[in-house]
Amino acid sequence: MRSVGAGLSEQSAQPEYRIEDLAHHSGATVRTIRAYQDRGLLPRPERRGRSNVYGDAHLARLRQIADLLDRGYTLASIKELLEAWDTGRGLGGVLGLVAEVHGPWTDEEADRISRAELDARFGGTPDEEAIREAVELGVLERLPDREAEEYLVPSPQELTVAAELYAAGVPLAAITGHLRELRDQVEHIASRFLEFTTEHVFARYLEHRPPTDADAAEAATMVRRLRPLAQQTVDAELARAMQLLATRHLQIHLSPDAPQVKDDQPRAVALPAGTIRAVQSLVGAEGVEAFIAAATEREVGKRTLDALAAKHHKTGEIG
């Protein structure tokens, strides 16, 4: 049996593959291909004598599965999509919707930076712990197989903000800690926006599982229309809040008779209503305050232990 690289089948004039050839061209392993067949994700090959024969349809299906897995879909949800396609329902709209949602949500373009440039922007002294934190947070991505150490910067704007804060005197550990906190809050906002738009806009397009080709295509169009709204709303509200709170903050600090907040004085902290409801469902209304206080103390303790361990590790490397 010859692979596509060796020739074409005389009967069908279509490329034919042995399973090893199919694995080579698709990037999947032989074991994975057989597992997909067992789960019904991949059609069975044609049996010809003692050999199994695969064609371009199998190769295309494997590439579709790999693409959907890369976009975060489970094998179960992929099977639903492919079964709908196999029964005659279009998949073009669904794949278009997947591509629209998975595509970039910003016009910002990634950049590259060398390790020497990175060190120069942050004081000129190499800091391996700061690099590790930045990679863990996705602010930097290591570029392999480079003679000189180089990084991909998904958001040059975010790196510039960090560099400006550092130049203003903010320690790198404080910057990464603030980014982690900010990311949690922004993800909460994004989650609420998605819940809101799904309930009032997208529910009608997604009532079938998987959605019809036409509904998926309309939903993709709606994603393109609504994509900038979340950022525009957050930008406007952040500007409003910064003006309000920064003015108030400055007034407090400039006031000669401003009361000093003692370290042991309780402070009110605003938490999202969803967080309060989630805690209440776990421990009841009477236990919310104690639960949040205990969770906060545990997190502070964990971060303190992590910082001490990292410091000890760094000291050990220097020694």
Side-chain angles (χ1 to χ4, degrees):
M1 186 62 57
R2 295 184 296 176
S3 73
V4 66
L8 301 176
S9 163
E10 295 179 359
Q11 293 179 348
S12 62
Q14 295 293 325
E16 292 183 350
Y17 307 88
R18 295 170 301 179
I19 192 168
E20 294 83 3
D21 300 320
L22 186 65
H24 172 73
H25 286 285
S26 67
T29 64
V30 170
R31 182 177 180 180
T32 296
I33 292 172
R34 287 177 174 148
Y36 287 167
Q37 287 175 183
D38 293 340
R39 298 189 65 159
L41 288 162
L42 191 69
R44 291 285 177 181
E46 180 183 344
R47 189 73 178 174
R48 195 172 296 162
R50 295 184 177 181
S51 301
N52 287 327
V53 178
Y54 298 84
D56 273 349
H58 294 91
L59 181 58
R61 175 63 59 89
L62 284 171
R63 288 172 175 167
Q64 285 174 339
I65 294 171
D67 182 58
L68 290 167
L69 285 171
D70 286 343
R71 298 177 190 275
Y73 287 78
T74 65
L75 288 176
S77 60
I78 291 172
K79 185 177 181 182
E80 284 188 9
L81 290 173
L82 296 177
E83 284 177 348
W85 193 17
D86 289 341
T87 55
R89 291 171 57 185
L91 193 59
V94 173
L95 294 179
L97 176 58
V98 169
E100 192 67 49
V101 171
H102 191 264
W105 285 68
T106 175
D107 294 331
E108 188 178 16
E109 295 184 3
D111 199 358
R112 295 184 179 189
I113 189 169
S114 69
R115 177 59 188 270
E117 293 171 323
L118 192 61
D119 290 342
R121 292 185 70 177
F122 289 90
T125 303
D127 189 332
E128 298 302 328
E129 178 63 20
I131 293 291
R132 186 194 65 77
E133 285 259 22
V135 170
E136 182 181 322
L137 286 165
V139 176
L140 300 173
E141 295 179 10
R142 298 185 189 276
L143 291 174
D145 304 325
R146 301 276 170 175
E147 291 184 5
E149 191 174 352
E150 193 175 9
Y151 296 88
L152 179 71
V153 185
S155 174
Q157 181 175 296
E158 190 170 50
L159 187 64
T160 297
V161 170
E164 290 293 335
L165 289 172
Y166 180 80
V170 182
L172 283 174
I175 294 172
T176 55
H178 177 70
L179 178 57
R180 289 182 188 277
E181 180 182 353
L182 181 64
R183 185 166 291 180
D184 286 342
Q185 294 169 347
V186 171
E187 286 179 0
H188 174 75
I189 293 171
S191 176
R192 287 294 300 120
F193 187 80
L194 288 171
E195 291 171 2
F196 169 78
T197 52
T198 298
E199 178 183 356
H200 296 284
V201 179
F202 292 105
R204 59 181 176 270
Y205 301 117
L206 305 176
E207 58 184 351
H208 300 102
R209 290 200 53 186
T212 64
D213 200 43
D215 281 347
E218 286 190 42
T221 300
M222 192 61 67
V223 169
R224 283 193 294 275
R225 286 179 55 190
L226 298 183
R227 186 193 299 271
L229 297 187
Q231 183 170 347
Q232 290 170 5
T233 302
V234 171
D235 285 347
E237 283 300 308
L238 180 60
R240 180 199 63 79
M242 285 299 296
Q243 182 178 17
L244 174 67
L245 297 179
T247 300
R248 186 182 302 167
H249 201 68
L250 183 61
Q251 289 172 346
I252 291 173
H253 281 273
L254 293 181
S255 175
D257 56 349
Q260 297 295 317
V261 178
K262 298 179 181 179
D263 289 341
D264 58 350
Q265 180 177 335
R267 305 183 191 183
V269 178
L271 293 174
T275 301
I276 299 296
R277 287 196 297 270
V279 174
Q280 187 170 330
S281 67
L282 288 172
V283 299
E286 69 283 354
V288 168
E289 184 176 344
F291 182 91
I292 292 175
T296 303
E297 289 177 2
R298 184 173 66 179
E299 179 65 19
V300 170
K302 178 180 179 299
R303 293 195 181 192
T304 301
L305 291 174
D306 289 345
L308 289 171
K311 182 178 180 181
H312 174 73
H313 179 69
K314 188 173 181 180
T315 303
E317 288 181 345
I318 294 174

